[in-house]
Structure formats: structure tokens, C-alpha cells
Amino acid sequence: MAVKIKDGIYWVGSVDWEVREFHGYETSKGSSYNSYLIVDEENVLIDSAKHYMFEELMEGISSVIDPMDIDYIVVNHAEKDHSGCIDKIVKLSGAKVITNEKGKEHLELQFNTEDWEFIIVDTGDEINIGKRTLKFIKTPMLHWPDNMITYCIEDKILFSNDAFGQHVATSERFDYEVETIEEIFEDAKEYFANILLPYKMLIPNAINAVKGLDIDYICPSHGLIWKEKIEEILNRYMKWSSGECKNKAVIAYDSMYGSTKKMAHAIGSGLSDEGVEVKIYNISGTPMNTIMKEILDAKYILIGSPTLNSNVYPPVAMFLAYMEGLKPADGKIAVAFGSYGWMEMATEIIKKSFEKLNFKVVDDECLKCRFVPKEEYIKKCYEFGKKLSEIEN
Ligand code: FEO
């Protein structure tokens, strides 16, 4: 059912309680595809949903107006989680599609758009829909080249699409309805670290453009609508995009017979005893997105792997590929470690990954252990952790 945001403006989205995978992102809390309906002289639908959510989307729209009466569909972003129902809605209503050049190109590559009528907008363009005016601002690469945000001038509502979203399924719609707001900020941080991070350098300009607007609500396309915490989410986006680090170490490892695990914990104890906040994850047992959320603001990144068949352990290889694509901030202090039997290869492969990311690699003789780290060796790893805490990036 629709949820009123202001007179004539409604959330008509769909909540996907079951979705658990989103291009490599394990969505353990589900997600939502937030569509919005503006009822005016011209009725406007802003974004749609994944194709299998069509019935839910129709239910929300139908609780306010007849879906046949939609005049315009704004496509802020053509990824299928927001455009998956567009073809059916265009067919049903004959609505014109408002998007930018890139959005049109992406839609044409995904749908048969022969009969669609497009209205192409650029940054600063405005369209009057009756009592209201919609203004468009392109935000390329947040998350695809086509992304834009739509601002309703009279109602001071920003429809931000992927920006400021969270992958979480909830029965609440607004930030002020949630008791544990810090958990929502953590969800937003995880989303940022796994969706927007590769293009973090573009975030400050986008935030400055948004800060120049008078905003009552930020309505993202996933998760909760921001009302009471607008300034805080904007500030957190600035901070997350800045590469600012805490005195924190993320140790992500995998282990075949427990040797690399022992090294991980010994190094972690050394760091921790020197006052560094330490997070240790077994890569096989942890969603990659959880580890990336912690890497976002960590000063130290330590990755451990046994050598298997002259290579890294397969789950570690997968994590390295995922991390390389997301491009965490340059200059983090990085350590590769692991155990091996007769030929050590894993740490060299991990270091190559660090070099691609412009991390500052720290090496030590105790980081490659042949077979099992005995007590003396564990002490060396512990001492290495302590020394590591003194290195500045
Ligand atoms: Fe939520 Fe880039 O789509």
C-alpha cells in the first residue's frame, strides 16, 4: 500500500524481504525498491522495481490512482532493480519516459523501446507537472553513468535513487520511525562501501550540489527515507568518500588446517594490545560486503591465505577480486601473510593486489610460515602486530 510523504506525494515501492544476493553483495536483511508517485495535473512515477515486483508496485500505485493515468515515468537510473517494470508500465499507460541521454541508451540496450516516447533532460533542466516543478541533476557513476537525481522544488523532496540507500527490508518507511538509527547508518555505510566506493571521488561534488538545495526529505531507491537525519547522512557521505581512517585493523584470512588462522589471531592480539581496534574475519564464513564495510575506514588491511596449488586459497582470490573492483582509498597500510608447505606463493599474489590499490605494503620475515606456526613463531607474529601499530600511513 502507498505511504503518504506529503500531500500528493507517495512511496509506492516494494519490499523484497527474501532477496539475499545483489551482484556479489549478500543482502542478509533483504532490500526494497522504492518508487514514488506524484499526483498532479500530470501524474509522475519516479523509478520502478525488479520485474518480479510488478504486482506489488501496481498495488501501491492503484491505492492512489489508476496506473493507466500515469503520464510520466522518471528513470533516474536504468539498472534493472529500478527499471525492471518500466516496459509493462509504458505499455499499460502510454506514459512518456523522462531520463537523460545515458539513461535512454541503457534502456534501449535492455528493452524494446521502439514505441516509447522519451523526454531527455540534462542537469538543471526543469519540467512543470502542474502545481509542481521537477528539476534534474545528473550524478554520473553513482552508480552507473546514467544516474541522476530528481528534485521536486515546491515540496523540497529529493529523489536520490541509489545515493543514500540501504539494502534493508523494513516495515518502516522513514528514519524517525526506527529506534536503532545507528544500525541504519551502518547499513548505509555498508551500501556505500559496496556500491558507491569505486566512484568516491565524485561524491563531494554531488553532496555539494545537494547541500545547495532546500530539502525536507531525501527519498532513496533502497531502504528508509531520510527526514530527521538528512544533515547527518550528507556529512557521513562526505566522511566516507574522504578516505579518512580510524586506528583500526581489518584482518581477513582463510585457512586450510588452522595455521594461517593462528597467525591472524596472533598479529591481531599484538595490534589490539597497542590500542588498535581489530576486526578479524574468516573470509569463507563472512559476506564480502561485511568485510568491505569495515575496510572503508580502516588504517590497516591484513589479508592471510595458505598457498594452495601455487596460488591463493580460492575464497581469498574471490575476495581480492571483489576488493580490487571497489578500490578502497589509497595509502592504507597493508600486510599479506599465510602458511605454506613447500613453495610460498599466496602472499606474493596478495601483495600484487595491494599494489594495484596503491596500499603501502609492510613486509616481515614472520609473515610466511612453513606448515604450522609453533609457539616461538606465534610470538614473532604477535610482536609484528605490536610493531605494525607504530607505522603511519
Ligand atoms: Fe539500485 Fe544501481 O541500482
Side-chain angles (χ1 to χ4, degrees):
M1 290 289 284
V3 175
K4 185 173 151 184
I5 300 170
K6 281 194 172 185
D7 283 345
I9 302 188
Y10 303 86
W11 173 90
V12 289
S14 38
V15 180
D16 196 344
W17 295 95
E18 279 89 23
V19 67
R20 290 291 177 270
E21 202 284 323
F22 224 109
H23 44 62
Y25 189 138
E26 190 176 313
T27 47
S28 57
K29 296 181 179 179
S31 192
S32 67
Y33 318 111
N34 296 337
S35 309
Y36 300 95
L37 182 67
I38 306 176
V39 179
D40 207 310
E41 286 169 27
E42 308 281 0
N43 298 319
V44 180
L45 179 70
I46 298 184
D47 293 317
S48 73
K50 283 190 175 175
H51 68 96
Y52 58 79
M53 286 294 181
F54 181 70
E55 279 180 24
E56 285 84 344
L57 178 59
M58 285 299 104
E59 194 180 299
I61 296 168
S62 301
S63 68
V64 183
I65 61 167
D66 184 336
M68 303 262 288
D69 293 336
I70 296 170
D71 299 292
Y72 295 122
I73 306 169
V74 172
V75 176
N76 279 324
H77 175 30
E79 189 170 356
K80 282 284 189 82
D81 53 332
H82 309 298
S83 69
C85 300
I86 298 283
D87 52 343
K88 287 189 186 136
I89 299 169
V90 170
K91 194 168 177 187
L92 184 76
S93 63
K96 298 183 180 79
V97 175
I98 301 174
T99 190
N100 56 66
E101 279 292 352
K102 276 284 169 201
K104 179 171 182 271
E105 180 191 324
H106 292 173
L107 289 168
E108 285 171 341
L109 291 165
Q110 297 180 92
F111 298 97
N112 178 358
T113 60
E114 269 174 28
D115 299 330
W116 297 17
E117 198 174 329
F118 285 98
I119 298 174
I120 302 302
V121 292
D122 206 336
T123 291
D125 287 353
E126 295 181 3
I127 292 180
N128 183 272
I129 55 169
K131 295 194 284 293
R132 300 177 178 85
T133 312
L134 302 181
K135 183 172 182 168
F136 306 94
I137 301 165
K138 290 200 288 187
T139 52
M141 302 318 294
L142 307 179
H143 152 234
W144 279 9
D146 63 345
N147 272 81
M148 66 178 191
I149 55 181
T150 298
Y151 178 59
C152 179
I153 295 173
E154 293 76 8
D155 287 290
K156 303 176 186 172
I157 299 181
L158 182 72
F159 301 98
S160 63
N161 197 266
D162 277 343
F164 313 115
Q166 325 100 52
H167 277 318
V168 55
T170 58
S171 52
E172 295 86 7
R173 300 276 73 86
F174 300 94
D175 59 1
Y176 56 79
E177 296 178 290
V178 179
E179 284 179 14
T180 52
I181 190 66
E182 198 48 47
E183 197 178 324
I184 296 301
F185 282 126
E186 285 296 299
D187 294 331
K189 181 180 174 187
E190 186 166 352
Y191 184 95
F192 182 98
N194 288 278
I195 305 284
L196 302 176
L197 188 59
Y199 311 107
K200 57 192 169 300
M201 72 296 289
L202 302 172
I203 301 276
N205 275 351
I207 298 295
N208 287 330
V210 167
K211 279 190 165 171
L213 303 170
D214 193 5
I215 299 174
D216 282 350
Y217 293 86
I218 293 179
C219 297
S221 58
H222 300 287
L224 293 167
I225 294 168
W226 300 98
K227 166 64 177 159
E228 289 192 350
K229 303 292 180 186
I230 289 173
E231 197 176 337
E232 187 148 0
I233 188 65
L234 293 177
N235 289 340
R236 291 200 189 207
Y237 258 55
M238 278 301 220
K239 192 167 111 182
W240 296 334
S241 60
S242 72
E244 187 182 316
C245 290
K246 290 159 71 176
N247 191 24
K248 177 169 96 173
V250 173
I251 304 177
Y253 75 92
D254 215 322
S255 202
M256 211 183 314
Y257 289 110
S259 295
T260 305
K261 178 179 178 178
K262 282 181 185 162
M263 296 169 77
H265 284 264
I267 298 168
S269 293
L271 282 160
S272 170
D273 285 352
E274 291 301 322
V276 179
E277 179 189 351
V278 173
K279 304 264 185 185
I280 302 179
Y281 299 101
N282 181 315
I283 289 172
S284 290
T286 313
M288 295 188 292
N289 37 291
T290 301
I291 302 172
M292 285 309 305
K293 182 185 82 166
E294 297 301 336
I295 283 178
L296 179 70
D297 56 4
K299 179 175 168 187
Y300 307 95
I301 312 297
L302 298 91
I303 296 189
S305 172
T307 294
L308 174 69
N309 300 328
S310 309
N311 215 325
V312 282
Y313 213 43
V316 177
M318 186 161 78
F319 180 73
L320 291 175
Y322 188 72
M323 180 175 71
E324 280 176 28
L326 289 169
K327 299 182 179 63
D330 289 1
K332 290 180 187 288
I333 297 165
V335 174
F337 65 95
S339 72
Y340 68 105
W342 48 96
M343 185 170 63
E344 208 290 322
M345 293 296 285
T347 61
E348 297 310 312
I349 293 167
I350 296 168
K351 276 190 264 184
K352 283 199 176 86
S353 210
F354 289 156
E355 281 156 16
K356 279 189 210 166
L357 292 168
N358 292 322
F359 289 176
K360 180 176 168 180
V361 177
V362 176
D363 217 340
D364 191 277
E365 59 181 12
C366 75
L367 297 171
K368 298 175 186 179
C369 174
R370 191 153 185 232
F371 285 91
V372 174
K374 301 202 175 139
E375 201 179 327
E376 272 312 299
Y377 203 98
I378 289 294
K379 273 188 199 152
K380 283 184 190 168
C381 289
Y382 172 80
E383 291 303 327
F384 171 76
K386 284 174 77 84
K387 270 192 306 185
L388 186 64
S389 71
E390 293 165 10
I391 295 176
E392 291 300 325
N393 50 356

